[in-house]
Amino acid sequence: MLDDFLIRAALAGFGVALAAAPLGCFVVWRRMAYFGDATSHAALLGVALALAMDLPILMGVLLMALVMALIVSSLSERHVSTDALLGVLAHAGLALGLVAVSLVPGQRVDLSAYLFGDILAVSKADLAVIWIGALLVAVLLVTRWQALLTATLNPDLATASGGHPHREQLVLTLALAIMVAVALKVVGALLIAAMLIIPAAAGRPFARSPEGMAVTAIAVGAAAVAAGLFTSFVFDTPTGPSIVSAAALFFVLSTGLAPVLRRN
């Protein structure tokens, strides 16, 4: 069954949705949409690092995503304007990554695959990495869910009850770095943040609890993957952007349907 490239692509997309959607809920709740951008754009620096040092691409991407996430987390605690900080780091990370990749000697790199993903070229080994990463993220979120939720919605309450908001921030940082590393092949650096934020935003109007929002976001992400693959197959459109476009369409529909459903 896994010899069929469309089956592999669908399974890879579902793995990314499983990791990205609930993690995206925390990004939405913290109002840090640029956080995903900054971390994902740093992935290109990781690609350059891996090529220059002859390391596995996954290792370089994971390392740089983690470094960028830690930088953002550290600077945000120093009362630097979060929006401005994340905007600068996101665009600087992308620009530096593109420059660094172009300077790696003796390497011809298909930048479009790293920018927009190449889900149809996912191999069995890639699929294993994606699902291992997705399950790691899921385990991190499930085991730390209540602590993460309290630290996100009310840091003062978390501290008063013996929690450690900074530690929970580090857990989210680690989870985000893992998600970026495994999602790069599927949707690319430019679209990873979209798969974080759009399914979570689309599921928000229908959720009556944080857990409900996370589950709905996963469902929206999985549906977007299926719809994007179908659109790409039928109309020969780029697959990664097609998946994100489908997610955006679901967001528009959820935004329009939610008020109608509430009235009924």
Side-chain angles (χ1 to χ4, degrees), residues 52-235:
M53 301 184 68
D54 198 23
L55 297 172
I57 296 294
L58 178 68
M59 184 181 298
V61 170
L62 181 60
L63 176 62
M64 288 309 303
L66 185 58
V67 167
M68 178 63 83
L70 289 173
I71 290 173
V72 171
S73 179
S74 175
L75 291 179
S76 63
E77 292 174 359
R78 298 183 182 181
H79 306 292
V80 181
S81 173
T82 303
D83 286 343
L85 168 68
L86 293 176
V88 169
L89 290 178
H91 295 96
L94 177 60
L96 289 172
L98 291 172
V99 171
V101 168
S102 71
L103 293 176
V104 176
Q107 296 283 352
R108 297 185 64 183
V109 182
D110 180 12
L111 284 178
S112 64
Y114 293 112
L115 291 173
F116 302 107
D118 193 8
I119 190 173
L120 297 180
V122 168
S123 65
K124 292 179 182 179
D126 293 328
L127 194 57
V129 168
I130 288 168
W131 272 94
I132 289 171
L135 291 175
L136 281 174
V137 171
V139 169
L140 276 175
L141 293 180
V142 168
T143 56
R144 304 297 307 167
W145 181 264
Q146 195 55 53
L148 286 168
L149 194 60
T150 304
T152 296
L153 301 181
N154 196 328
D156 293 334
L157 177 61
T159 302
S161 60
H164 302 278
H166 180 64
R167 182 180 64 193
E168 306 311 325
Q169 173 69 28
L170 291 178
V171 171
L172 278 179
T173 297
L174 176 60
L176 184 62
I178 294 172
M179 195 281 299
V180 167
V182 300
L184 185 68
K185 181 115 185 186
V186 176
V187 288
L190 293 181
L191 304 178
I192 288 173
M195 287 303 290
L196 272 171
I197 297 164
I198 297 177
R204 193 172 195 171
F206 301 103
R208 297 186 178 182
S209 68
E211 294 78 10
M213 179 172 166
V215 171
T216 306
I218 292 173
V220 171
V225 168
L229 283 172
F230 176 79
T231 301
S232 177
F233 181 76
V234 173
F235 298 104

